[in-house]
Amino acid sequence: MTTETIRIGTRGSRLALAQASEVRARLMAAHALPEEAFAIEVISTSGDRILDRPLSEAGGKGLFTKEIEEALLDGRIDLAVHSSKDMATAMPEGLAIAAYLPREDVRDVFIGRTVQRIADLPLGAHVGTASLRRQALLKRLRPDLRLSILRGNVQTRLAKLEAGEVDGTLLAFAGLKRMAMESVVGEFLDEETFPPAPGQGAICIQTRDGDERAAGLLSPVADPRTAVELAAERAFLARLDGSCRTPIAARAILEAELLRFHGMILTPDGARMHETRGEGLAERAAAIGDEAARTLLAEAGTGFFAGWSGADGWRAS
């Protein structure tokens, strides 16, 4: 194995650093390398700096990856570690997702300031979340709630909750678990009725396309099951042209060679929802996701997403 330092690029949040450290630990174990063989390079992204407005207004998913991808393209880093749900479906030319780590629990969780469950929130309670998908799903469960955008990393959001700015918030359990913060969880949300974002719970590693050194490093730590599940979910997202402007949920589960898929689209106010299910062989993962998206597009009609303006909210077509 090469003695050159392996440079891992990541955002600087506590969660992002935990994910990069997990990648490093797995690579150390797989190749019997010391920690000194790796350098974790923190790269500030637009998504980390823009906190005064929703991501849908600022530019969407690429805000959390653009600067890291630029560092990868120009050779400042060798590997880029991302949360898969932050990744746009179209890769910049010259880059590729080379591996996924084994997927963590995909469920969302509710964290309340004074109550443990969503059902226990008083009428008109204030819940903050940066996710349009979570807002839309929550509106379906509790139309009476007052919802607002809550930006910032996990620690920032929890601090705002503790300060009383909101009565509750929703987060991905995977991130909390990776930071050993499971104790803050109030309620786990059922993934059948509250399905996750495409890619939720999965760490992906991006490399330069054709980088054989990186491919050799990552091969022993790559999880094939997660790769199959994400192939379906990302194909679903790609066909729907999904971004932070559109509430989209998807969950693919691979059991043996059978892949089961559940996809959902909603209007941001939660008033309209369409969902579909499918299954098939693992080798057809991308096709299963794509077919599910086509089904929903046909069912919902071409104007379903056109009514969402991003900055102004939902305007019915």
Side-chain angles (χ1 to χ4, degrees):
M1 184 57 62
T2 179
T3 57
E4 294 179 22
T5 301
I6 300 154
R7 298 159 300 171
I8 302 173
T10 178
R11 295 165 59 196
S13 70
R14 180 176 165 187
L15 174 56
L17 291 171
Q19 293 180 160
S21 296
E22 181 176 342
V23 171
R24 178 179 62 188
R26 288 177 181 272
L27 290 172
M28 287 168 58
H31 299 287
L33 289 170
E35 187 173 309
E36 295 72 30
F38 301 86
I40 293 179
E41 306 285 349
V42 173
I43 299 169
S44 176
T45 70
S46 301
D48 296 310
R49 296 190 295 270
I50 300 172
L51 298 174
D52 61 344
R53 57 193 187 275
L55 290 177
S56 56
E57 296 178 23
K61 288 179 177 291
L63 292 173
F64 287 121
T65 61
K66 180 177 180 289
E67 288 85 356
I68 299 174
E69 290 174 334
E70 289 171 351
L72 188 56
L73 281 168
D74 67 23
R76 283 177 284 150
I77 58 174
D78 303 301
L79 310 173
V81 177
H82 305 282
S83 294
S84 295
K85 68 178 180 180
D86 289 338
M87 298 295 285
T89 53
M91 289 288 103
E93 186 175 355
L95 298 183
I97 294 176
Y100 296 96
L101 295 191
R103 199 171 196 177
E104 189 47 85
D105 191 322
V106 305
R107 288 176 294 176
D108 285 315
V109 295
F110 170 74
I111 304 167
R113 189 163 58 88
T114 59
V115 300
Q116 293 293 302
R117 303 184 308 151
I118 292 172
D120 295 332
L121 285 167
L123 286 173
H126 185 190
V127 176
T129 171
S131 164
L132 288 177
R133 172 188 59 86
R134 291 175 182 144
Q135 284 191 16
L137 289 168
L138 191 54
K139 270 293 190 184
R140 292 187 67 81
L141 289 177
R142 288 285 306 270
D144 63 287
L145 295 177
R146 181 164 57 96
L147 305 182
S148 65
I149 295 293
L150 194 64
R151 290 292 316 282
N153 61 36
V154 170
Q155 284 70 34
T156 299
R157 295 184 220 179
L158 291 178
K160 290 179 179 179
L161 175 66
E162 183 67 23
E165 293 185 29
V166 292
D167 299 308
T169 190
L170 301 169
L171 295 171
F173 177 66
L176 294 171
K177 186 173 181 182
R178 289 184 176 120
M179 293 184 290
M181 294 177 62
E182 298 97 324
S183 62
V184 305
V185 174
E187 176 186 19
F188 284 90
L189 304 182
D190 176 55
E191 64 181 87
E192 281 294 305
T193 56
F194 211 100
Q200 186 155 306
I203 296 171
C204 72
I205 308 167
Q206 193 179 30
T207 65
R208 289 180 288 277
D209 205 7
D211 186 337
E212 294 184 4
R213 176 197 180 211
L217 276 169
L218 295 172
S219 179
V221 303
D223 184 61
R225 175 182 176 178
T226 302
V228 170
E229 293 179 354
L230 269 287
E233 293 175 20
R234 285 176 61 77
F236 178 74
L237 195 63
R239 175 61 61 183
L240 295 172
D241 193 26
S243 69
C244 289
R245 298 175 187 270
T246 51
I248 297 172
R251 175 66 166 122
I253 301 175
L254 180 64
E255 296 176 343
E257 287 301 307
L258 183 66
L259 183 79
R260 294 186 289 108
F261 185 85
H262 177 204
M264 182 185 293
I265 56 175
L266 307 97
T267 53
D269 61 1
R272 294 174 59 196
M273 181 272 284
H274 298 275
E275 65 182 328
T276 187
R277 299 176 189 274
E279 63 179 41
L281 295 177
E283 63 193 37
R284 295 194 67 252
I288 291 168
D290 183 75
E291 289 162 6
R294 289 175 183 271
T295 297
L296 290 187
L297 286 171
E299 181 180 313
T302 56
F304 188 83
F305 291 124
W308 171 235
S309 67
D312 302 323
W314 174 256
R315 293 197 298 260
S317 302

